[in-house]
Amino acid sequence: MTLCLQGLSDGDTLLLIQDGVLVPKLQLQGIDASAVVYLADDCEARGQKAGAARQVTYDGFVELCEQHDRVINWNCP
């Protein structure tokens, strides 16, 4: 996760999916909160409440992919 976060630049969006929604908020310190997005279905499936964090549906996932020039998939153990 550290390498992923180090690679973020201004204007990037970090979409947390699957078990990524379980990442402790502490690990996201220093990241612009508006750049962090959670996939709502994955939060629900894992009993996670994103609270004030931004959540998107699968349609929102697709919209994010369309809005950005590049999409990079990180598999963080």
Side-chain angles (χ1 to χ4, degrees):
M1 182 59 131
T2 302
L3 289 174
C4 173
L5 296 176
Q6 288 175 348
L8 287 177
S9 299
D10 288 340
D12 288 348
T13 300
L14 176 63
L15 174 63
L16 298 172
I17 63 171
Q18 298 178 341
D19 286 342
V21 302
L22 302 173
V23 169
K25 303 279 190 258
L26 186 60
Q27 275 191 283
L28 300 174
Q29 274 186 329
I31 304 300
D32 180 7
S34 67
V36 180
V37 182
Y38 294 81
L39 190 63
D41 285 352
D42 289 341
C43 287
E44 183 178 334
R46 288 158 180 81
Q48 295 296 306
K49 295 182 181 177
R54 185 171 151 209
Q55 292 188 19
V56 294
T57 62
Y58 282 102
D59 287 341
F61 185 155
V62 172
E63 288 174 17
L64 284 171
C65 292
E66 291 173 341
Q67 290 171 6
H68 294 279
D69 294 333
R70 293 182 302 178
V71 176
I72 301 171
N73 179 4
W74 287 81
N75 184 12
C76 302

